[in-house]
Amino acid sequence: AQSVTQLDSHVSVSEGTPVLLRCNYSSSYSPSLFWYVQHPNKGLQLLLKYTSAATLVKGINGFEAEFKKSETSFHLTKPSAHMSDAAEYFCVVSDQTDSWGKFQFGAGTQVVVTP
Amino acid sequence: DTAVSQTPKYLVTQMGNDKSIKCEQNLGHDTMYWYKQDSKKFLKIMFSYNNKELIINETVPNRFSPKSPDKAHLNLHINSLELGDSAVYFCASSRLSGISYNEQFFGPGTRLTVL
């Protein structure tokens, strides 16, 4: 079975400083991994995805994530936070085990950006 | 053009009433989902349909009944609404590519408030 753990429920950063959101996953097969962002009172938007190609994945708005199989991690980073990055972020895993068609969501990380 | 649309955006109703939420996607995807997001932002999968066939049916009260008239539509009907049903409901769609799923696209959400 697949599962995903977001290690921080809340991250606070200053504008212009790096952002690191940590995600660990468990999967019996080669997983697909995703990061989504949800701004207040909005739907979820895809930031980036890993689907067994390059391990370093670049996404929108300057975000990137690195797939590390040995550490079962898919951490999200951005070199310089912007006020507009304040939102909820979700790490998601999907594979082909008994959860066919199912995307497993992490509990989310709330990002606060201070001026 | 909106990729995944939901109606209504807001729904306020009394306990015991019956209500429906509609979802439509114009992306040509073959799989659609319903999620419930609680006040702590946790996303829980409820149902999923692939080509009008139910493939995921999580532990959800049988007061909730999904219906997929065609691949582009997935509706959610809720009978005898309870206070605990208050949440934001998201519709999503995805496409099966080989043996894995591509990313999900989400609708804007329907905020249901039961009084």
Side-chain angles (χ1 to χ4, degrees):
Chain A
Q2 57 191 4
S3 67
V4 60
T5 302
Q6 292 184 240
L7 299 168
D8 307 291
S9 60
H10 186 271
V11 168
S12 184
V13 298
S14 299
E15 190 176 19
T17 64
V19 181
L20 169 64
L21 305 184
R22 298 181 294 165
C23 173
N24 285 110
Y25 70 91
S26 172
S27 173
S28 302
Y29 294 89
S30 297
S32 295
L33 292 155
F34 311 85
W35 275 99
Y36 285 84
V37 61
Q38 183 182 23
H39 288 95
N41 300 312
K42 298 290 186 184
L44 281 78
Q45 180 185 19
L46 180 72
L47 278 177
L48 48 80
K49 63 180 178 181
Y50 167 79
T51 53
S52 75
T55 56
L56 183 61
V57 181
K58 294 189 183 299
I60 61 171
N61 300 335
F63 284 94
E64 64 180 38
E66 185 171 9
F67 173 71
K68 291 187 176 180
K69 186 174 182 179
S70 60
E71 299 177 10
T72 60
S73 69
F74 190 57
H75 300 336
L76 180 71
T77 60
K78 182 173 180 177
S80 177
H82 191 272
M83 295 299 291
S84 61
D85 294 328
E88 191 85 18
Y89 291 78
F90 295 95
C91 182
V92 184
V93 63
S94 177
D95 66 22
Q96 306 311 309
T97 59
D98 58 349
S99 308
W100 186 77
K102 186 184 290 186
F103 292 76
Q104 189 69 45
F105 278 74
T109 298
Q110 184 183 27
V111 172
V112 174
V113 183
T114 56
Chain B
D1 279 342
T2 303
V4 182
S5 59
Q6 293 179 229
T7 54
K9 189 169 175 63
Y10 300 96
L11 188 51
V12 181
T13 188
Q14 298 288 330
M15 269 197 312
N17 284 350
D18 303 337
K19 291 294 178 184
S20 291
I21 307 172
K22 296 187 175 183
C23 178
E24 176 181 1
Q25 56 95 3
N26 63 6
L27 298 167
H29 289 167
D30 50 21
T31 306
M32 296 184 72
Y33 308 78
W34 278 113
Y35 287 88
K36 179 181 181 181
Q37 185 175 48
D38 61 24
S39 57
K40 294 186 177 181
K41 301 293 185 184
F42 185 73
L43 276 153
K44 178 184 174 184
I45 180 73
M46 300 174 70
F47 304 103
S48 178
Y49 274 76
N50 175 263
N51 287 321
K52 301 194 297 178
E53 180 183 345
L54 183 65
I55 58 170
I56 296 174
N57 186 1
E58 293 295 286
T59 307
V60 175
N62 58 15
R63 298 182 294 103
F64 290 78
S65 54
K67 188 164 289 186
S68 181
D70 55 57
K71 284 198 308 182
H73 297 84
L74 179 61
N75 303 323
L76 182 66
H77 188 75
I78 316 170
N79 290 326
S80 303
L81 277 155
E82 300 178 357
L83 293 176
D85 298 333
S86 296
V88 181
Y89 293 84
F90 285 101
C91 176
S93 70
S94 182
R95 186 200 307 272
L96 184 62
S97 177
I99 60 169
S100 63
Y101 275 88
N102 292 336
E103 68 272 23
Q104 293 176 305
F105 288 78
F106 283 81
T110 296
R111 183 174 295 275
L112 171 64
T113 303
V114 182
L115 303 174

